[in-house]
Amino acid sequence: MNPSNTEEGSRLVGKGVLLCLAAMLVFASQDAVTKILVQDMSVAQVVLVRYWVFAVFAIVWVMRKSTIRHALRSVRPKLQILRSLLSIAEIAIFNLALRHLGLAESHSLMAVFPLLAIALAAPILGERVSLKSWLAVCAGFIGTLIILRPGLDVFKPESLIPLSAALCFAGYHVVTRQVSSAGDGFNTNILYMALVGCVCATVFGVTVWREPSMQEWILLAVISVLSVAAQLLLVKALEYAPASVLQPFNYSLLVFATVIGFLVFRELPDRWTIIGAGIVIASGLYVIYLQRRHD
């Protein structure tokens, strides 16, 4: 093997990792701004503005790469619609969680979604899940219980909100694998997600619409731009490094959310949340390790 090729490959992978970390930082920043907005504004209205901007971005992106008509030709259109509905449900539910919970706590519970995706993939996709993977899923579930502490006085029913978002996100990932394996490409995936989500967000958002203040318009613009920027960073990261390499770095989102939550809102997760989140992340990383070894 040519040493120069190896060095160049490592450099590109390193660039992909940095772009992925940057995307996670932008996502965490977006959630911090969202948390400020949803205290006084309807979640449906916030999601509506985000999806309007996202739809414009998706249309422009597709038109640069292909055509709208071509991108709308899906092999599994019904699954594309389901995937898009799961995506917007996850965003709306998680935004609601940010109204009631801190950034770190919300993301600690959200971090269980890869393990939920494994649990869903077995019955839905018919995938064979190894015993070690199931044990990791069980460990992640124990970590989630440590964060929730059901039956104790410290249990908050609001903690179930990000878990619901995690379940939607897990379903989204499972359906994404179905449509991707059927032959739908990135342009089709992003266009369906934008258009279906935009229609759904508009139906719910217009019923609660109120004229935002100037400060709220600025914050809405900020989260919309941050959302698009994070997506672009992820797309670019995947150009330099494979998804399997970048997967572990997605957990940096929880670290960034914790730091921003402390700096902006003076929030600090308690020790049980930290312990539970640590177990969830360790379980997720172990599953990623098992998958990479299997591949």
Side-chain angles (χ1 to χ4, degrees):
M1 182 180 292
N2 191 328
S4 61
N5 291 340
T6 303
E7 183 178 339
E8 176 66 13
S10 299
R11 187 183 69 82
L12 291 177
V13 168
K15 193 171 183 179
V17 169
L18 289 176
L19 287 169
C20 179
L21 291 173
M24 295 304 109
L25 176 58
V26 174
F27 275 129
S29 302
Q30 169 199 291
D31 288 339
V33 179
T34 300
K35 181 172 177 61
I36 296 172
L37 264 175
V38 296
Q39 300 305 314
D40 299 309
M41 180 175 284
S42 166
V43 168
Q45 184 171 352
V46 174
V47 175
L48 169 61
V49 175
R50 275 189 59 179
Y51 263 89
W52 279 350
V53 175
F54 180 49
V56 172
F57 161 72
I59 291 171
V60 171
W61 175 275
V62 170
M63 289 179 67
R64 288 184 58 192
K65 304 290 183 178
S66 178
T67 65
I68 299 296
R69 178 178 296 182
H70 180 74
L72 285 174
R73 293 174 187 164
S74 170
V75 180
R76 307 286 295 274
K78 291 182 180 179
L79 282 181
Q80 282 287 3
I81 293 173
L82 174 61
R83 171 180 174 273
S84 304
L85 292 176
L86 286 170
S87 175
I88 190 173
E90 178 269 322
I91 291 173
I93 294 171
F94 190 73
N95 284 1
L96 182 62
L98 292 174
R99 175 184 290 173
H100 299 286
L101 301 172
L103 279 177
E105 188 174 3
S106 297
H107 279 285
S108 295
L109 292 167
M110 187 68 183
V112 77
F113 86 84
L115 302 174
L116 291 175
I118 291 173
L120 290 175
I124 295 176
L125 300 181
E127 292 185 356
R128 187 173 179 273
V129 180
S130 68
L131 177 60
K132 291 180 179 180
S133 294
W134 278 121
L135 290 174
V137 170
C138 292
F141 179 66
I142 292 172
T144 304
L145 289 178
I146 292 174
I147 298 172
L148 290 174
R149 281 159 285 173
L152 302 180
D153 292 338
V154 293
F155 171 71
K156 292 180 289 188
E158 294 87 353
S159 298
L160 298 177
I161 301 175
L163 275 183
S164 300
L167 182 60
C168 289
F169 203 38
Y172 162 82
H173 275 265
V174 171
V175 178
T176 296
R177 286 162 64 181
Q178 284 183 294
V179 296
S180 297
S181 62
D184 284 352
F186 178 78
N187 287 345
T188 299
N189 290 344
I190 193 174
L191 188 61
Y192 267 88
M193 190 164 64
L195 296 183
V196 173
C198 189
V199 171
C200 188
T202 300
V203 169
F204 287 96
V206 294
T207 61
V208 294
W209 181 269
R210 67 164 176 82
E211 185 62 27
S213 65
M214 180 57 68
Q215 181 183 11
E216 287 172 334
W217 271 123
I218 293 173
L219 293 178
L220 285 167
V222 168
I223 63 170
S224 300
V225 171
L226 289 176
S227 177
V228 171
Q231 295 293 341
L232 285 174
L233 286 168
L234 274 182
V235 170
K236 203 66 180 175
L238 289 168
E239 291 181 8
Y240 294 110
S244 59
V245 173
L246 297 179
Q247 270 183 312
F249 297 96
N250 291 335
Y251 284 110
S252 65
L253 177 56
L254 176 54
V255 178
F256 290 132
T258 302
V259 173
I260 293 174
F262 174 71
L263 294 177
V264 178
F265 305 106
R266 287 294 180 263
E267 299 169 349
L268 270 180
D270 60 35
R271 63 176 178 175
W272 293 112
T273 299
I274 294 173
I275 293 172
I279 294 174
V280 170
I281 292 174
S283 302
L285 291 174
Y286 183 62
V287 165
I288 292 171
Y289 164 75
L290 292 176
Q291 291 174 338
R292 291 178 64 178
R293 194 175 67 171
H294 180 266
D295 294 339

